[in-house]
Amino acid sequence: DYMGFFEYCEMLMQDGSLDPENFADLFAYRVQNIMNNKHIVHNKLEIEASSWVVFRKLVCRLKIMRRITIQ
């Protein structure tokens, strides 16, 4: 649910309803915390990669780097 919330925020930024700078100021560190969790990255962003395309776009928008292996 938490990652889904961030996907929704990404969609709002894409359509101009949410300011990207304000979002980054308030939430970038939370997305970074998700990306620092090896368990989440492996189970969600690697194994279930096709289900998290919008979240991955958000990570790119925020310029958060982490090596993700797509299987």
Side-chain angles (χ1 to χ4, degrees):
D1 290 344
Y2 193 51
M3 288 173 63
F5 165 76
F6 290 124
E7 284 191 309
Y8 184 64
C9 291
E10 171 60 21
M11 291 187 295
L12 291 174
M13 285 186 279
Q14 287 175 13
D15 77 6
S17 298
L18 181 60
D19 179 64
E21 286 186 38
N22 287 337
F23 176 84
D25 289 345
L26 294 171
F27 296 109
Y29 79 97
R30 294 173 190 259
V31 177
Q32 181 66 64
N33 288 342
I34 290 169
M35 296 304 294
N36 288 338
N37 185 309
K38 293 177 186 177
H39 177 76
I40 292 172
V41 169
H42 177 70
N43 289 307
K44 297 296 180 188
L45 301 177
E46 293 177 354
I47 293 174
E48 299 177 14
S50 63
S51 297
W52 294 102
V53 173
V54 177
F55 186 85
R56 293 169 70 118
K57 287 180 182 179
L58 174 63
V59 169
C60 290
R61 176 191 294 275
L62 296 173
K63 297 177 176 68
I64 294 172
M65 298 301 200
R66 178 168 180 85
R67 181 174 297 269
I68 299 172
T69 305
I70 299 173
Q71 297 182 8

